[in-house]
Amino acid sequence: MTTPTAAQLSRLRTRPHRTKAYLSIFKPRVVLSAQLNMPTVAKGDRALTVTAISGTMADVRPGMTVYLGTTAGGRQKGRLRVKNGAGAVLTVAENSVAWVNGWYLTVVEFFEPWAVFPRIVVQNKTPVFYKDYDLTYTSEGRYMKPVVHMGPHYATFLDPITQAAQVWFTSTGSFDPTDGLAPTGTLWDFGEGAITPTGSANPYPGYVTFSGAGHYTVFLEEWTSYGVTGSGYRHISIYDRPENGPNRPIVEWGFEGLRGSRDDGGYEVDIWLREQAFFPDVVEGALVIIFTESWEGGVSGKVGGNAENRGEILFTGYIEDGTVGLDPVSNRLEFTAKSVTGIMERLAAFSDSYQSRNTANKWYKIYNMTVDKAIIQTLHWQSTILSICDFFPTNDTKGVEYIDFERTDLFSAAQGILESTLGARMVADRQGSIYCEVEANLVPTGSSRDFPVALDITRQDWAGKVDIDFRMREDVSYIEMGGIAYTGPQTGTNSAFLSGAPGTAPHYAGTTETISGLVVLSQDQLNELSGNGLARANAEFPNVDLDMAGDYRLLDIAPIERVTMDLAPRENFRGFEWVDKPFFVKEISYDYEAESQWLRNSVTLEEETSGPPGETITIPAEAPYQDWKLPSWDIEFPPLIPLPGLLPEVVPPTGIGDYVYGLFNGIYVKTSNFWSHTGSGPTWEIVNVPSSVTGTASVQNLMFWLSPTDPANQVYIGNTDGGVNFIGRVITAFDSPTPGAQEWWSLADCATHLGVSTQRRLGTVRHMPALGGYMIGIGGQALAGQPPKWVEGATAGAWSSYSMNGGGYPQCGNPRDYWHYCGGTTIVAATDGEFRRSTNLGRNWTALYAAQPGNDVYYCETATPYTYLQSNPGGGMRMYFHPNAMIGVTSANDPDLLYISPEISDSYYIGYVATNVGNGTIGKGITILPDYSIFGLFARQNGTQAVNIEAFRPGPYDDWQIIRTNPFVYYALDYYKPDPNKMLCFRTTALAQGVYGSADRGNTWVNKTGNLVALVGALGSTSCRGLKYVWTR
Amino acid sequence: MATGSVWEINGVSIPCPSEYAWQVRRPLDVQGDNRPIYPGIRAMELRYELMSYEDWEVLQVLYAAIQYTGTATVRIPGFPTATGTPFAFHEYSGVTLAEPAISTIFNQQYPTRAVLLIANIVTD
């Protein structure tokens, strides 16, 4: 805004005011004239092969306008936005044009407001998001494009003596929405022609000299500290004075009703012209500038314009589509021009949704989102607005978790968000710069409401009478406001607040208003907002209309301008006496009498108000009514992404009761009150000791698996002994101090029967009635080139083995013992960097996908529960979905697969966690719950410090949400099938070692060690080799 | 441009009018402090009771040259200012001309009661 100095104010009040107005319509340079040369061109084609007639494809820049015509230079078939040009192919924006070969395409150096469409396609049942048809996401929600400021468009005269015009340029105000800082790099290109300088790397180049009449386009590229670039364009028209040369502006013209209001978001004006020579320049969408020469008491120049060197620009806008018409009586060509915000009202906007995320890895996610960021992101990627005008955000820093833009026009979509979340408005000033501001009367009073006074209006400043709209009684008796305070994705806390004003008792006149969905900071802030909102709604003087006594263009509808006013009792009917009474400018209109060179504006002012804070309304924990009915809805819901079929019912084994089994320090223990204990913890009891199982005390049991159907008797065991008892099972009476029959394979047996010759681990065991026995996966510290083996059969002697077909996977350097039986004859397994599937019980295997998505697997998520270094978010994980509904997590950096989630009955679901060696991540456990939510325990290693993360995904399509980070390391995560809210794990970190259980899906963990140490000895980091449970119906 | 009491438009001499007058400025509005607001420009009307066809032609051609675009520089008696000399001629640039108006033609060759309005004269 403009605050005049004392000298400027004195000059403003000097009469007469004299103004000569001129009309400029930007006439862009043709950079390429071409003819469509595609015999097979089809409706909606974007890549158009053309034959150049004049110009060169090399001059074509993204964002330019291309006219479509049936004659050279014609525009009969409309216009589109250029995406790019290369060789003989001109690529245009997504369209539904029914192309005809031979059409003429004229690309001009003009950058106008365009909507840019997103595109969402479903690939293998997963939605894939693009912007501008084919732009895939990289990190745009994390590191946003800078908002480029260049100053407004401009039109002026050549100086008759120097034959040059000076135009001021500065990038002051440019900022990086990511952190609010100024861009770190700048490169100006001032256009083609006699321009000094031709370019600059100075963010504030100041005056640039254009020597010669013409239409120029200035280009600015800026980049942020994160290496993200943004660009902007401004159009400059330089004219000969009408008496000095042929390149003059339009002089036989006039305008009516140049008017702007904050409610409308900008200005519009009806213009006519009568010079037929200029009729071809009147093109829908063309840039229109009304510029002036002005004098105040004989001194030339005007104060105002919100930008350096732009005081003589009265209006900047664009010709509205469909308003151009020729009046046959007056032979005048007439059209309507609107501010950029008015043009935005005609641009289609797709709905746009954003989530605030720590890890912004999708188009619909924004790092630490604020309302400003969401607005900017939408305008950046779903329009060209931010490249053609200066944009000023609200600078509100409150966090917001979700924002959904309506499927409406671009202006309404953005304005709707601003108004519903912050009580803010998007308004263009006369120059076409866009200001987003919280309505002044909603801003807290005190230092926050620090709008400077643009003008102290006294009686010499207005003409005629002052129209005062006086509100005798309140229009609003009660206002209720609701809002949510969001602490940001790091902590993820939402707090809902309600407030009512004036208080328990409403005013005795007026209606009630309810406003919800506000983005607030606290209850106190909402109370202040509701109080101010009520005061604003009941302002005593909502409208004060003044005809100014001259050209007071220093007043504008944006940015918000405060004026004060003096009024004597004798100057109004009601006898009000105002001394420096504050108002805000609400509307402005201009009248022009060319014959008198008389331009003057009329303003509508809104009283500045504030009210006492509203009162807190306590939100009840539950709905205060017993029986509520929803109204009938007629809403078409978007199609839901189908989830795989319901998980089968969990069928527990019968017989032995509810137990949690554990293997600690080689000793098998169990407890029957893991969940129901009182006091210091569960009561553990020894099941048996290693020697009783293996026959030798030297054996170190590493893993055990209870038979799913006979857990009290049959248990499969693997150990580290590579000798006589490498892998085996207890066949009877496992849950006994003296277990019954056992059978074991030595490493030599494995070599004989399975072809393995090195240490192996026991993998998943699965009872497979169809085979008359069990299938066991074994893996372990495999050497490269040694594929996993599978055994089946009821007894060791009858076991047979199968290799993954082909073998020879040189990257198989990690266990492949994680597999899952899917029912029938299908098995899926994790190998080194791959998921594999066998449909014949392990005889043959097919790679489902490798580290990167394959043809039959589609990429679904980039799920990074954290980043181990802020500067390197690449250490995250990726989530894939397989058509058979497999779920997996793998690392972008290291595809080793370390873990498969516990099976969920006979479902197809598999989860696994990858590892990154060094500064990476190690998955310590992941489990998929029956409702498809996923719980994961991860360890982050960054060299010297280990940080552990518990994370949760509400569903397979959702993000990871970090529950907490802590110094504990977990293993052996599992959930308790009878109640998926219950989880159990072993914590290895010193000072907190032991068994832990959670009854609330990992939100809180309780030490379940109980008497365990007394039974098995001290618990070290490798003490726990398994936690299993059984339960009865 | 000539000096002295010579009437000129764009350097072209025009006949000395029978009478001339600075037009009264119509107030555009009245300020809140009850002062009339006048436009910042003035106009002078030149009247010729009788003139030759050639002289009328000069006026018409001068007007036609700036009918739609451009402005003229005129040399006419100056508007009084505090430092000015009474009746001194003065050059004003950037003025516009209204189309010369005439009444009847006397004796088939002399236009009568011709009027030329010079507008957009900035005197302040």
Side-chain angles (χ1 to χ4, degrees):
Chain A
M1 70 168 274
T2 305
T3 302
T5 63
Q8 289 170 334
L9 193 59
S10 173
R11 210 184 80 191
L12 178 68
R13 288 172 170 155
T14 304
R15 307 290 184 260
H17 284 189
R18 189 161 64 84
T19 302
K20 296 162 79 171
Y22 303 92
L23 177 63
S24 167
I25 298 177
F26 185 74
K27 190 174 181 180
R29 176 174 68 100
V30 174
V31 297
L32 177 69
S33 177
Q35 193 168 14
L36 190 57
N37 184 12
M38 284 181 73
T40 59
V41 69
K43 179 183 177 183
D45 275 354
R46 297 168 50 256
L48 307 171
T49 302
V50 300
T51 301
I53 299 172
S54 64
T56 171
M57 191 71 81
D59 288 343
V60 173
R61 274 182 167 169
M64 287 181 170
T65 294
V66 56
Y67 294 109
L68 322 177
T70 54
T71 57
R75 309 186 189 98
Q76 304 92 331
K77 296 300 178 182
R79 67 187 193 275
L80 287 172
R81 176 175 54 88
V82 170
K83 279 205 70 177
N84 54 61
V89 177
L90 180 71
T91 302
V92 298
E94 192 175 1
N95 64 85
S96 295
V97 174
W99 298 100
V100 174
N101 192 31
W103 275 6
Y104 290 87
L105 307 179
T106 308
V107 182
V108 295
E109 192 178 44
F110 180 50
F111 299 87
E112 62 178 295
W114 284 104
V116 177
F117 295 155
R119 191 167 65 104
I120 306 170
V121 297
V122 176
Q123 294 176 351
N124 294 329
K125 299 181 181 178
T126 297
V128 181
F129 294 78
Y130 298 94
K131 297 290 187 188
D132 200 5
Y133 193 82
D134 55 3
L135 294 180
T136 55
Y137 182 88
T138 52
S139 59
E140 289 81 357
R142 176 62 181 88
Y143 304 110
M144 298 174 69
K145 288 175 73 172
V147 174
V148 174
H149 282 208
M150 303 172 66
H153 305 287
Y154 193 52
T156 191
F157 288 119
L158 284 174
D159 184 294
I161 298 172
T162 63
Q163 284 298 297
Q166 291 204 307
V167 185
W168 180 270
F169 288 102
T170 177
S171 65
T172 301
S174 294
F175 65 97
D176 175 6
T178 310
D179 52 20
L181 301 177
T184 54
T186 306
L187 190 62
W188 293 86
D189 176 356
F190 295 114
E192 304 278 329
I195 303 167
T196 307
T198 56
S200 173
N202 187 340
Y204 322 110
Y207 279 109
V208 173
T209 302
F210 292 77
S211 301
H215 298 270
Y216 303 88
T217 297
V218 175
F219 170 66
L220 171 62
E221 183 175 68
E222 293 184 299
W223 52 94
T224 70
S225 57
Y226 304 105
V228 184
T229 60
S231 54
Y233 304 88
R234 298 294 183 272
H235 297 301
I236 309 296
S237 296
I238 309 292
Y239 294 99
D240 291 325
R241 299 188 64 82
E243 64 274 20
N244 281 350
N247 299 309
R248 61 173 176 80
I250 300 166
V251 293
E252 276 191 82
W253 73 287
F255 70 85
E256 295 167 1
L258 171 55
R259 58 214 175 264
S261 78
R262 290 191 60 79
D263 285 347
D264 292 339
Y267 287 85
E268 70 174 270
V269 59
D270 299 321
I271 295 174
W272 58 264
L273 68 153
R274 203 157 42 202
E275 291 183 89
Q276 293 198 10
F278 289 93
F279 282 7
D281 298 344
V282 181
V283 178
E284 269 96 349
L287 176 68
V288 170
I289 296 177
I290 300 175
F291 65 105
T292 65
E293 293 177 288
S294 305
W295 293 266
E296 294 167 341
V299 179
S300 65
K302 293 300 291 187
V303 175
N306 299 329
E308 181 78 18
N309 180 233
R310 302 297 196 270
E312 293 286 9
I313 302 299
L314 185 62
F315 169 77
T316 299
Y318 299 87
I319 297 177
E320 186 179 19
D321 283 11
T323 65
V324 181
L326 184 66
D327 183 341
V329 176
S330 62
N331 199 31
R332 299 196 312 194
L333 193 65
E334 301 171 341
F335 60 87
T336 299
K338 285 187 170 179
S339 299
V340 62
T341 45
I343 301 303
M344 288 168 64
E345 286 186 85
R346 297 187 63 91
L347 299 180
F350 277 79
S351 57
D352 209 5
S353 296
Y354 293 107
Q355 307 169 2
S356 183
R357 289 292 180 265
N358 235 358
T359 304
N361 51 16
K362 287 288 185 184
W363 277 118
Y364 53 83
K365 299 172 189 176
I366 294 176
Y367 175 73
N368 274 352
M369 183 166 66
T370 62
V371 174
D372 279 348
K373 282 188 172 183
I375 297 280
I376 289 168
Q377 192 76 336
T378 285
L379 294 182
H380 256 319
W381 295 105
Q382 300 210 172
S383 81
T384 61
I385 299 300
L386 295 188
S387 66
I388 60 170
C389 67
D390 288 1
F391 175 87
F392 296 85
T394 66
N395 291 322
D396 186 273
T397 57
K398 294 191 286 290
V400 55
E401 187 170 14
Y402 298 103
I403 281 186
D404 296 297
F405 289 82
E406 272 191 84
R407 175 84 159 87
T408 175
D409 64 85
L410 188 60
F411 177 77
S412 299
Q415 172 60 41
I417 292 298
L418 284 168
E419 188 166 12
S420 63
T421 57
L422 299 176
R425 286 202 163 275
M426 174 183 283
V427 182
D429 67 356
R430 288 186 292 102
Q431 310 283 344
S433 298
I434 295 177
Y435 294 83
C436 299
E437 297 169 287
V438 176
E439 282 295 271
N441 280 325
L442 298 181
V443 174
T445 54
S447 59
S448 299
R449 196 185 280 191
D450 59 349
F451 304 104
V453 175
L455 182 66
D456 181 22
I457 300 175
T458 63
R459 61 182 63 87
Q460 62 187 309
D461 296 315
W462 74 74
K465 68 184 176 99
V466 178
D467 286 330
I468 301 173
D469 185 3
F470 177 54
R471 182 179 274 126
M472 301 286 288
R473 300 196 72 180
E474 293 89 353
D475 281 350
V476 177
S477 68
Y478 184 81
I479 195 166
E480 180 183 289
M481 289 185 174
I484 292 176
Y486 178 59
T487 58
Q490 288 80 12
T491 49
T493 304
N494 279 303
S495 303
F497 302 110
L498 265 182
S499 176
T504 306
H507 291 316
Y508 283 95
T511 60
T512 59
E513 277 189 12
T514 303
I515 299 169
S516 60
L518 293 165
V519 175
V520 299
L521 189 64
S522 63
Q523 181 69 60
D524 288 345
Q525 190 243 325
L526 183 62
N527 289 346
E528 193 167 24
L529 197 61
S530 67
N532 285 339
L534 183 67
R536 177 175 185 256
N538 293 324
E540 201 171 18
F541 305 106
N543 295 301
V544 174
D545 296 318
L546 297 171
D547 290 334
M548 304 306 289
D551 178 1
Y552 280 64
R553 72 173 73 171
L554 81 164
L555 301 178
D556 206 338
I557 56 173
I560 292 173
E561 294 192 340
R562 173 190 269 153
V563 296
T564 57
M565 190 167 170
D566 296 339
L567 188 71
R570 59 184 166 78
E571 292 169 331
N572 65 94
F573 167 71
R574 295 187 183 277
F576 297 126
E577 181 172 15
W578 296 341
V579 177
D580 293 340
K581 182 171 178 55
F583 290 88
F584 294 112
V585 177
K586 191 175 176 183
E587 298 175 7
I588 292 183
S589 62
Y590 286 82
D591 292 312
Y592 183 54
E593 293 180 20
E595 66 273 21
S596 304
Q597 296 185 8
W598 168 243
L599 177 72
R600 73 120 158 245
N601 47 1
S602 301
V603 299
T604 298
L605 306 177
E606 172 189 20
E607 181 188 18
E608 180 171 355
T609 59
S610 64
E615 294 183 3
T616 300
I617 300 173
T618 303
I619 303 174
E622 295 180 0
Y625 20 76
Q626 298 297 321
D627 181 25
W628 54 277
K629 293 181 180 178
L630 288 173
S632 60
W633 298 94
D634 186 16
I635 299 174
E636 283 190 19
F637 289 97
L640 295 172
I641 302 170
L643 288 170
L646 292 174
L647 294 175
E649 182 185 359
V650 176
V651 180
T654 58
I656 66 169
D658 293 291
Y659 283 102
V660 172
Y661 283 78
L663 172 56
F664 297 93
N665 295 336
I667 301 173
Y668 294 95
V669 295
K670 70 176 181 180
T671 174
S672 61
N673 62 349
F674 190 90
W675 303 110
S676 60
H677 69 84
T678 58
S680 58
T683 305
W684 294 89
E685 57 183 301
I686 292 178
V687 173
N688 54 52
V689 297
S691 58
S692 67
V693 172
T694 65
T696 168
S698 64
V699 171
Q700 294 184 22
N701 290 338
L702 274 177
M703 294 182 174
F704 76 106
W705 281 88
L706 301 173
S707 164
T709 56
D710 192 9
N713 290 303
Q714 297 204 34
V715 174
Y716 286 77
I717 301 167
N719 61 44
T720 58
D721 187 343
V724 296
N725 292 314
F726 174 61
I727 183 172
R729 64 171 175 163
V730 177
I731 301 173
T732 59
F734 166 72
D735 193 355
S736 165
T738 54
Q742 302 174 30
E743 57 183 9
W744 290 91
W745 275 13
S746 66
L747 185 58
D749 293 329
C750 289
T752 300
H753 298 287
L754 305 179
V756 296
S757 57
T758 187
Q759 188 176 343
R760 291 282 168 165
R761 268 183 200 162
L762 177 67
T764 306
V765 179
R766 179 79 195 192
H767 179 234
M768 302 182 73
L771 300 177
Y774 295 83
M775 176 170 276
I776 306 171
I778 59 170
Q781 307 302 315
L783 297 178
Q786 294 197 356
K789 295 291 180 180
W790 303 84
V791 295
E792 62 186 37
T795 61
W799 286 356
S800 55
S801 66
Y802 302 97
S803 300
M804 285 191 175
N805 59 310
Y809 296 101
Q811 298 305 314
C812 292
N814 274 305
R816 298 149 195 118
D817 51 355
Y818 303 107
W819 64 284
H820 183 68
Y821 174 60
C822 304
T825 56
T826 300
I827 302 170
V828 289
T831 70
D832 196 358
E834 290 181 340
F835 263 167
R836 291 178 171 269
R837 178 174 55 190
S838 169
T839 56
N840 56 7
L841 293 172
R843 276 75 166 170
N844 299 95
W845 292 86
T846 303
L848 296 180
Y849 62 88
Q852 299 301 321
N855 292 333
D856 61 344
V857 175
Y858 51 93
Y859 173 76
C860 178
E861 288 280 347
T862 299
T864 306
Y866 53 85
T867 57
Y868 60 91
L869 290 173
Q870 283 297 319
S871 60
N872 183 0
M877 302 179 182
R878 295 180 187 275
M879 170 69 82
Y880 298 93
F881 271 68
H882 184 264
N884 284 349
M886 289 173 46
I887 300 173
V889 182
T890 186
S891 163
N893 291 347
D894 185 342
D896 289 350
L897 311 181
L898 287 184
Y899 195 87
I900 293 182
S901 73
E903 63 194 42
I904 303 174
S905 186
D906 285 339
S907 78
Y908 287 71
Y909 288 83
I910 292 181
Y912 69 93
V913 176
T915 182
N916 287 326
V917 177
N919 289 344
T921 65
I922 295 178
K924 295 298 184 184
I926 184 169
T927 190
I928 304 173
L929 306 182
D931 62 357
Y932 301 101
S933 58
I934 306 169
F935 190 89
L937 301 176
F938 308 97
R940 175 178 65 187
Q941 295 179 340
N942 57 1
T944 58
Q945 184 179 2
V947 179
N948 300 279
I949 295 100
E950 298 169 43
F952 177 73
R953 294 171 71 105
Y957 297 100
D958 296 312
D959 287 338
W960 284 103
Q961 299 174 6
I962 296 176
I963 299 174
R964 69 178 67 80
T965 60
N966 54 48
F968 306 124
V969 176
Y970 304 87
Y971 289 96
L973 172 70
D974 206 348
Y975 79 93
Y976 189 59
K977 287 185 174 63
D979 182 356
N981 289 318
K982 293 178 178 176
M983 295 177 173
L984 57 168
C985 72
F986 182 72
R987 187 180 279 180
T988 64
T989 308
L991 304 179
Q993 289 160 338
V995 182
Y996 281 73
S998 170
D1000 55 7
R1001 292 199 176 203
N1003 284 308
T1004 55
W1005 290 90
V1006 177
N1007 193 320
K1008 300 283 188 179
T1009 306
N1011 63 330
L1012 194 57
V1013 175
L1015 297 179
V1016 303
L1019 298 177
S1021 62
T1022 59
S1023 292
C1024 179
R1025 292 304 180 182
L1027 279 173
K1028 305 295 172 187
Y1029 56 83
V1030 297
W1031 76 101
T1032 55
R1033 295 175 191 270
Chain B
M1 274 287 181
T3 58
S5 303
V6 177
W7 296 75
E8 284 186 351
I9 298 176
N10 279 347
V12 177
S13 293
I14 61 172
C16 178
S18 307
E19 57 185 22
Y20 68 90
W22 289 99
Q23 298 295 290
V24 176
R25 290 192 295 183
R26 173 179 58 85
L28 298 164
D29 208 331
V30 179
Q31 284 186 182
D33 56 1
N34 205 23
R35 300 172 199 274
I37 304 170
Y38 293 105
I41 52 176
R42 297 176 184 276
M44 176 182 274
E45 188 176 85
L46 281 56
R47 290 183 173 274
Y48 300 86
E49 289 300 321
L50 187 68
M51 66 192 318
S52 69
Y53 184 89
E54 289 75 17
D55 286 342
W56 179 45
E57 184 183 39
V58 168
L59 296 185
Q60 193 66 35
V61 169
L62 286 170
Y63 158 73
I66 60 168
Q67 179 179 2
Y68 298 119
T69 63
T71 55
T73 300
V74 299
R75 180 175 176 76
I76 55 176
F79 190 81
T81 61
T83 57
T85 304
F87 308 113
F89 272 62
H90 190 82
E91 276 186 21
Y92 295 103
S93 60
V95 307
T96 58
L97 303 178
E99 186 173 32
I102 58 171
S103 183
T104 56
I105 307 293
F106 172 69
N107 200 22
Q108 295 189 344
Q109 57 180 325
Y110 298 103
T112 65
R113 292 187 292 282
V115 178
L116 176 66
L117 184 69
I118 303 172
N120 275 8
I121 304 172
V122 179
T123 59
D124 297 312

